Amino acid sequence: IAKEVAKLLEMKAQLGGDEGKPKFVLKTPKGTRDYGPKQMAIRERVFSAIISCFKRHGAEVIDTPVFELKETLTGKYGEDSKLIYDLKDQGGELLSLRYDLTVPFARYLAMNKITNIKRYHIAKVYRRDNPAMTRGRYREFYQCDFDIAGQFDPMIPDAECLKIVHEILSDLQLGDFVIKVNDRRILDGMFAVCGVPDSKFRTICSSVDKLDKVPWEEVRSEMVGEKGLSPEAADRIGEYVQLHGGLDLIERLLQDPKLSQNKLAKEGLGDMKLLFEYLTLFGITGKISFDLSLARGLDYYTGVIFEAVLLQQENEHVEELVGVGSVAGGGRYDGLVGMFDPKGRKVPCVGVSIGIERIFSILEQRLEASEEKIRTTETQVLVASAQKKLLEERLKLISELWDAGIKLQYCEDTGIPLVAIVGEQELKDGVIKLRIVATREEVNIRRESLVEEIRRRTSQ
Amino acid sequence: IAKEVAKLLEMKAQLGGDEGKPKFVLKTPKGTRDYGPKQMAIRERVFSAIISCFKRHGAEVIDTPVFELKETLTGKYGEDSKLIYDLKDQGGELLSLRYDLTVPFARYLAMNKITNIKRYHIAKVYRRDNPAMTRGRYREFYQCDFDIAGQFDPMIPDAECLKIVHEILSDLQLGDFVIKVNDRRILDGMFAVCGVPDSKFRTICSSVDKLDKVPWEEVRSEMVGEKGLSPEAADRIGEYVQLHGGLDLIERLLQDPKLSQNKLAKEGLGDMKLLFEYLTLFGITGKISFDLSLARGLDYYTGVIFEAVLLQQENEHVEELVGVGSVAGGGRYDGLVGMFDPKGRKVPCVGVSIGIERIFSILEQRLEASEEKIRTTETQVLVASAQKKLLEERLKLISELWDAGIKLQYCEDTGIPLVAIVGEQELKDGVIKLRIVATREEVNIRRESLVEEIRRRTSQ
């Protein structure tokens, strides 16, 4: 409705408006939206599930400014840098809105010389992308990031990140999912043995990254046509990227005559084996797929990469949900902090980002379909009076209840479980009438027991 | 320390840096800061106190985008508009970062045709002001706003806003405070009877607003010298603005031969009397002062205005706290929503904004002085093992505890109350050794009772 209204108002404004009022457009900027009380209620539910998981894993929380010095973001995002929002030069520093939470995190670590931290960060990031708002793609959107920085036993933090994705997606009950896993070293090793020149690793990797959206034929023709790869090399890649599986596939590739000769690939496969052993101990391999077609867009990954994909939607009536796809992703980036440190000192990092906007849009649509009523306040009691003149007495009672920490309202609202009624006779008798909305039952409660009675009747 | 490091790095970068690395400055933008885990712990404590008060008062929550169309902000802030951050024109709409939460709220109401809502909104706003970071003045800072929109019995929502300020400041234990109250209609009536021409009301009001920072002589000379007011008019104002008090002062001014003849002033004083009656019922007049020198900077107020000021600092050792001053403010703005409605339909509104950054800086400095250790995680148990080889067993136990919702850590951290130790003999016996960190006591717990035991020992 908000969008409809905005559209109509925009048309009206363009037609000149009435009463010589200035033409103005009553809307939020392109690719952004307001969160009304209902959306906020969903948002807080999801955040609370995610935060309690992050805390269970011992994370601290940090926050950084919404903008960074422009140079802090320069050279971190490859081709996607064109999507960064810059601030106008109004004198002083050149600033840009943050594009993700990972680069600010790396800047924070380098600036404060922190070499060991487990932290989460939930905040909005900004991308001048083509919005697809019904599918949860916005220009202003939340990221929920959990990262582990520091030196640990190999693959232990990486396994924990996957455990976290598993816990959160299970907890939110979004339907069946699979977490695809790969390693940048395996990809680079694969490119090498397929005959891709070193200088083309990153751009060919970007092509492979498109495989979850377009068929192999198209990706192949991009590699050969646009990026000048030999058809033979492309075909060799084509064979590898079909492969996905578990420990068995890892064992097979460790025996692969070509890959096993490549140092990077061998390292990556060895670590992948260790990772799967840990995931087996965690009991979550059922949802994990080692997938050679997974590449991830960002430049800064150096080891394990992963992405969680929803396999089906819960509600078959809502056609648009097809394609919501990826709901979490992440990986290891051991070089990023070093880019900020004046001496280039590295801090190994691995992290996961939960794609919260997609999850919101799934839950919003599900809620709309279900007609479940969502409460947007926590009000326990409505204070009313039968007689007009009792405003003073009502205010006294209201003040008393507020001071006792009771959540109340003095005007109509939906979903409030109790009504406290101030009446003349009751005042004389030293009682307050309490109506239980669900049952329409009414009881007189002695004034001094009222707080306790409300607490008792509204605690679950 | 962070600031020191940034300063040193800046100097270093300017000197050229080593190893031919590019010169870059490792810092956050001017007037902004990171929140590390300790600051976040304080921030979350304060937010939780404030949010629980807002919820007690039956508020819903909304959120709006960090930027608005530039024209949405145009003409709302008077002289302060020069402090607005604009985004660079990268093609498409012209955008600005929000300057407060009130104008986006009014835009939201008009856009969604909402005529009745009680909502809170906690978010960052942006002002290109001169930062004074030790006193909690930043260019990026939080506002915590609570507003009531809609038609109600006169002064009931206004009284509720004051009750909220009183509850929050009492709850946070920031020391003694006073809430100054005035009304724009009383100010305008006062200007009229003192002989200020209508066209000078707003600019003279801005001068009066400075009285909390500069002495009357200076304000007077600004009025007369810069703003061209007659010395007689200025002196008459000078007499009124010394006045402050309670119901008695209101009664006296209602009898004032000049003020009582002015329609606006009479209306304002009548409502002020009603407000004080309600505040008496709420039992909070002890902290309220009707103060004729209170003016508030923003243009959009139309009725009651108020501002809460801390009267002293708790800790006399921290000299810098002097001048922290105002920690909450607000008022009635009945015309703002109408500026956005295509037909100019008005929605009466009154609201309060809590000056959270000043509160943070007080609590941060107090915490530093007290040497209290603040926990930045909620970890309940550390899982360790005596023997090197037991990684597998540890991972199994860790996974089991995570799945039971226990908050844990597998590496060192401070403040964790329990350590679970996996040992070979214990594994054979089917137990886990639990060390209670505070008492150094160690007990063997049967594996199947471990979750319950941890819950029991870590619940308060």
Side-chain angles (χ1 to χ4, degrees):
Chain A
I1 292 167
K3 257 182 288 170
E4 290 293 329
V5 169
K7 215 180 281 172
L8 287 172
L9 286 171
E10 191 170 348
M11 282 168 56
K12 196 171 176 185
Q14 281 162 356
L15 289 169
D18 33 12
E19 303 155 41
K21 277 209 150 249
K23 298 179 196 183
F24 67 88
V25 187
L26 196 57
K27 69 186 280 291
T28 61
K30 185 178 176 187
T32 69
R33 62 162 173 174
D34 294 319
Y35 282 83
K38 271 187 196 169
Q39 285 89 45
M40 286 300 281
I42 296 173
R43 186 170 120 175
E44 297 202 333
R45 266 190 208 175
V46 176
F47 279 167
S48 127
I50 291 175
I51 290 171
S52 80
C53 172
F54 290 164
K55 286 190 173 168
R56 201 157 58 228
H57 286 261
E60 303 178 282
V61 58
I62 72 162
D63 193 19
T64 65
V66 80
F67 42 60
E68 294 278 344
L69 297 185
K70 187 175 163 59
E71 60 182 350
T72 298
L73 306 190
T74 303
K76 308 298 184 306
Y77 301 107
E79 291 173 21
D80 287 347
S81 297
K82 62 179 187 295
L83 303 180
I84 293 175
Y85 277 97
D86 290 328
L87 269 76
K88 190 170 155 185
D89 182 2
Q90 295 171 288
E93 301 160 332
L94 292 179
L95 306 173
S96 302
L97 297 187
R98 62 183 163 212
Y99 182 86
D100 64 9
L101 302 177
T102 309
V103 168
F105 175 54
R107 192 265 306 143
Y108 171 80
L109 295 184
M111 190 170 130
N112 297 289
K113 299 207 186 305
I114 295 167
T115 54
N116 195 309
I117 191 174
K118 190 190 267 191
R119 81 89 182 79
Y120 70 93
H121 187 186
I122 297 183
K124 289 174 177 176
V125 301
Y126 298 87
R127 299 185 185 178
R128 298 178 56 251
D129 213 338
N130 277 328
M133 312 221 284
T134 51
R135 289 169 51 201
R137 274 186 53 182
Y138 294 88
R139 288 182 160 198
E140 173 187 65
F141 60 97
Y142 267 100
Q143 284 198 333
C144 297
D145 281 21
F146 172 97
D147 293 78
I148 303 174
Q151 204 72 55
F152 292 89
D153 284 343
M155 306 314 282
I156 294 277
D158 314 63
E160 186 173 7
C161 287
L162 292 169
K163 178 79 170 74
I164 281 176
V165 174
H166 192 277
E167 284 178 26
I168 289 175
L169 295 183
S170 306
D171 190 20
L172 291 174
Q173 298 180 294
L174 299 169
D176 203 9
F177 62 89
V178 65
I179 309 175
K180 297 181 190 174
V181 184
N182 198 0
D183 191 298
R184 273 285 164 89
R185 292 166 297 172
I186 300 176
L187 276 169
D188 285 354
M190 175 182 96
F191 293 146
V193 304
C194 290
V196 180
D198 283 18
S199 63
K200 292 205 159 91
F201 276 14
R202 287 281 72 76
T203 185
I204 293 301
C205 190
S206 294
S207 300
V208 171
D209 185 44
K210 296 176 185 164
L211 275 175
D212 57 340
K213 283 165 211 120
V214 299
W216 165 250
E217 309 315 323
E218 248 174 83
V219 170
R220 183 184 182 282
S221 83
E222 180 182 295
M223 286 177 174
V224 176
E226 288 173 41
K227 301 190 168 172
L229 191 66
S230 75
E232 298 75 32
D235 289 337
R236 273 181 230 125
I237 292 173
E239 276 170 39
Y240 279 118
V241 296
Q242 289 170 24
L243 303 175
H244 52 91
L247 257 179
D248 50 329
L249 176 59
I250 301 169
E251 297 288 6
R252 227 173 75 207
L253 291 177
L254 276 168
Q255 308 304 324
D256 181 284
K258 280 183 252 153
L259 273 185
S260 61
Q261 297 308 307
N262 181 285
K263 189 171 165 288
L264 273 177
K266 219 177 137 189
E267 249 181 62
L269 286 165
D271 278 349
M272 189 60 71
K273 193 178 159 188
L274 191 58
L275 179 66
F276 265 78
E277 284 165 15
Y278 294 155
L279 300 179
T280 308
L281 290 172
F282 287 166
I284 60 171
T285 40
K287 304 272 188 206
I288 310 272
S289 167
F290 170 45
D291 188 325
L292 282 174
S293 75
L294 179 72
R296 303 278 298 159
L298 291 167
D299 271 9
Y300 49 61
Y301 291 119
T302 55
V304 166
I305 50 177
F306 54 87
E307 199 166 295
V309 181
L310 294 185
L311 287 181
Q312 54 172 71
Q313 53 279 14
E314 278 276 283
N315 187 333
E316 59 271 37
H317 304 302
V318 187
E319 209 74 55
E320 302 98 301
L321 275 188
V322 181
V324 162
S326 165
V327 287
R332 177 164 284 282
Y333 49 101
D334 288 346
L336 192 58
V337 177
M339 290 176 75
F340 288 107
D341 189 277
K343 296 210 169 148
R345 274 171 300 222
K346 289 187 177 179
V347 177
C349 294
V350 62
V352 50
S353 187
I354 308 293
I356 202 73
E357 301 288 345
R358 295 185 168 191
I359 294 173
F360 290 155
S361 69
I362 294 169
L363 294 180
E364 267 180 57
Q365 293 183 44
R366 193 187 287 177
L367 197 77
E368 256 170 58
S370 79
E371 291 175 23
E372 181 204 335
K373 264 211 165 179
I374 190 160
R375 282 202 70 187
T376 56
T377 70
E378 295 178 8
T379 307
Q380 296 164 295
V381 59
L382 170 72
V383 177
S385 60
Q387 290 87 0
K388 278 257 164 192
K389 302 171 299 177
L390 294 176
L391 182 60
E392 277 203 14
E393 288 297 336
R394 272 167 66 198
L395 288 181
K396 259 199 245 170
L397 177 62
I398 284 170
S399 186
E400 212 172 283
L401 296 180
W402 274 334
D403 291 342
I406 302 290
K407 292 166 194 147
L408 64 85
Q409 186 65 277
Y410 49 77
C411 60
E412 206 49 64
D413 190 2
T414 48
I416 301 174
L418 297 173
V419 184
I421 303 166
V422 182
E424 267 168 11
Q425 188 53 50
E426 288 84 358
L427 278 174
K428 279 183 206 141
D429 300 346
V431 298
I432 297 285
K433 195 188 286 297
L434 202 62
R435 180 190 296 154
I436 294 86
V437 174
T439 59
R440 298 186 184 185
E441 180 195 355
E442 290 188 348
V443 280
N444 282 336
I445 308 290
R446 292 214 59 77
R447 183 99 177 203
E448 59 274 22
S449 321
L450 186 63
V451 166
E452 200 193 317
E453 186 69 19
I454 293 172
R455 284 200 189 126
R456 195 179 64 76
R457 288 184 179 268
T458 55
S459 66
Q460 269 95 17
Chain B
I1 292 168
K3 256 181 284 169
E4 289 295 329
V5 169
K7 213 179 281 172
L8 286 172
L9 286 172
E10 192 169 347
M11 281 168 57
K12 195 170 176 185
Q14 282 163 355
L15 289 169
D18 32 15
E19 304 155 40
K21 276 205 149 249
K23 299 180 200 183
F24 68 89
V25 187
L26 195 57
K27 68 186 281 291
T28 61
K30 186 179 177 187
T32 69
R33 62 162 173 174
D34 295 318
Y35 284 82
K38 272 187 196 169
Q39 286 88 45
M40 287 299 284
I42 297 172
R43 184 170 125 178
E44 298 202 331
R45 266 191 208 173
V46 175
F47 280 166
S48 127
I50 291 175
I51 290 172
S52 81
C53 172
F54 291 164
K55 285 189 174 169
R56 200 157 60 228
H57 285 262
E60 301 179 284
V61 56
I62 71 160
D63 192 19
T64 64
V66 81
F67 43 60
E68 294 278 344
L69 297 185
K70 187 175 164 60
E71 61 184 348
T72 298
L73 307 191
T74 303
K76 309 297 185 306
Y77 301 107
E79 290 173 21
D80 286 347
S81 297
K82 63 178 185 297
L83 304 181
I84 293 174
Y85 277 98
D86 291 327
L87 269 75
K88 190 169 156 187
D89 182 1
Q90 294 171 290
E93 301 160 332
L94 290 181
L95 307 174
S96 302
L97 297 187
R98 61 184 164 210
Y99 182 85
D100 65 8
L101 302 177
T102 309
V103 169
F105 176 52
R107 192 264 308 144
Y108 172 79
L109 295 183
M111 189 171 131
N112 297 289
K113 299 203 185 309
I114 295 167
T115 54
N116 194 308
I117 191 174
K118 190 190 268 191
R119 81 90 181 80
Y120 70 92
H121 187 186
I122 297 182
K124 289 175 178 176
V125 302
Y126 299 87
R127 299 184 186 179
R128 298 178 56 253
D129 213 338
N130 276 330
M133 313 222 281
T134 50
R135 288 169 52 200
R137 273 185 53 185
Y138 294 88
R139 290 183 158 196
E140 174 187 63
F141 59 97
Y142 267 99
Q143 284 198 334
C144 298
D145 281 21
F146 171 97
D147 293 78
I148 303 175
Q151 204 73 57
F152 292 88
D153 285 344
M155 306 315 278
I156 294 277
D158 314 65
E160 185 174 7
C161 286
L162 292 169
K163 179 80 169 77
I164 281 177
V165 175
H166 192 277
E167 285 178 25
I168 289 174
L169 294 184
S170 307
D171 190 19
L172 290 175
Q173 298 179 293
L174 299 169
D176 203 10
F177 62 90
V178 64
I179 309 175
K180 298 180 189 175
V181 184
N182 198 359
D183 191 298
R184 273 286 163 88
R185 291 165 299 172
I186 299 176
L187 276 169
D188 285 354
M190 174 182 97
F191 294 145
V193 303
C194 290
V196 179
D198 284 17
S199 63
K200 291 204 159 90
F201 276 16
R202 286 282 71 76
T203 186
I204 293 301
C205 190
S206 294
S207 298
V208 172
D209 185 42
K210 295 175 186 164
L211 275 174
D212 57 340
K213 281 162 214 123
V214 300
W216 165 249
E217 308 315 322
E218 249 174 81
V219 169
R220 183 185 182 282
S221 83
E222 179 182 296
M223 285 176 175
V224 176
E226 288 173 39
K227 301 191 168 171
L229 192 65
S230 76
E232 299 75 31
D235 289 337
R236 274 180 230 125
I237 292 173
E239 276 169 41
Y240 278 117
V241 297
Q242 290 169 24
L243 303 175
H244 52 92
L247 256 177
D248 50 330
L249 177 61
I250 301 169
E251 297 289 5
R252 227 173 75 207
L253 291 177
L254 276 167
Q255 308 304 322
D256 181 283
K258 281 183 249 153
L259 271 186
S260 61
Q261 298 307 307
N262 180 284
K263 189 171 165 288
L264 271 179
K266 218 176 137 192
E267 247 180 62
L269 286 165
D271 278 348
M272 190 60 72
K273 192 176 162 191
L274 190 58
L275 179 66
F276 265 78
E277 283 166 15
Y278 295 154
L279 300 180
T280 308
L281 290 173
F282 287 165
I284 61 171
T285 41
K287 303 271 187 208
I288 310 272
S289 166
F290 169 45
D291 188 325
L292 282 173
S293 74
L294 179 73
R296 303 276 300 154
L298 290 166
D299 271 8
Y300 50 62
Y301 290 118
T302 56
V304 166
I305 49 177
F306 53 88
E307 199 165 296
V309 181
L310 293 187
L311 287 181
Q312 54 172 67
Q313 54 279 13
E314 279 276 284
N315 187 332
E316 59 271 38
H317 303 300
V318 188
E319 208 74 55
E320 302 97 302
L321 277 187
V322 180
V324 162
S326 165
V327 288
R332 176 163 284 285
Y333 50 99
D334 289 346
L336 192 58
V337 178
M339 289 175 76
F340 289 107
D341 189 277
K343 297 209 168 145
R345 274 171 299 221
K346 287 186 179 182
V347 178
C349 294
V350 63
V352 50
S353 188
I354 309 292
I356 201 71
E357 300 288 345
R358 294 183 170 195
I359 295 173
F360 289 155
S361 68
I362 293 169
L363 295 181
E364 266 179 60
Q365 294 184 44
R366 192 186 287 177
L367 198 77
E368 254 168 61
S370 78
E371 291 177 23
E372 182 202 336
K373 263 212 164 179
I374 190 161
R375 280 204 70 187
T376 56
T377 70
E378 296 178 9
T379 307
Q380 297 164 294
V381 58
L382 171 71
V383 177
S385 60
Q387 292 84 1
K388 277 257 164 190
K389 299 171 303 176
L390 293 175
L391 183 60
E392 277 204 13
E393 287 299 334
R394 272 167 66 197
L395 288 181
K396 259 199 245 170
L397 176 63
I398 285 169
S399 185
E400 213 173 280
L401 296 180
W402 275 333
D403 292 342
I406 302 291
K407 294 166 195 149
L408 65 86
Q409 188 63 276
Y410 50 76
C411 59
E412 207 50 65
D413 191 3
T414 49
I416 303 174
L418 298 174
V419 183
I421 302 165
V422 183
E424 266 169 13
Q425 187 56 49
E426 288 83 359
L427 278 174
K428 279 184 205 140
D429 300 346
V431 299
I432 297 285
K433 193 188 289 298
L434 204 61
R435 178 190 297 154
I436 295 84
V437 175
T439 61
R440 299 190 185 181
E441 180 194 355
E442 290 188 347
V443 280
N444 282 334
I445 309 290
R446 293 214 58 75
R447 181 96 179 208
E448 58 273 21
S449 321
L450 185 64
V451 167
E452 203 192 315
E453 187 68 19
I454 293 172
R455 284 199 188 125
R456 194 177 66 75
R457 287 185 178 266
T458 55
S459 66
Q460 269 97 14

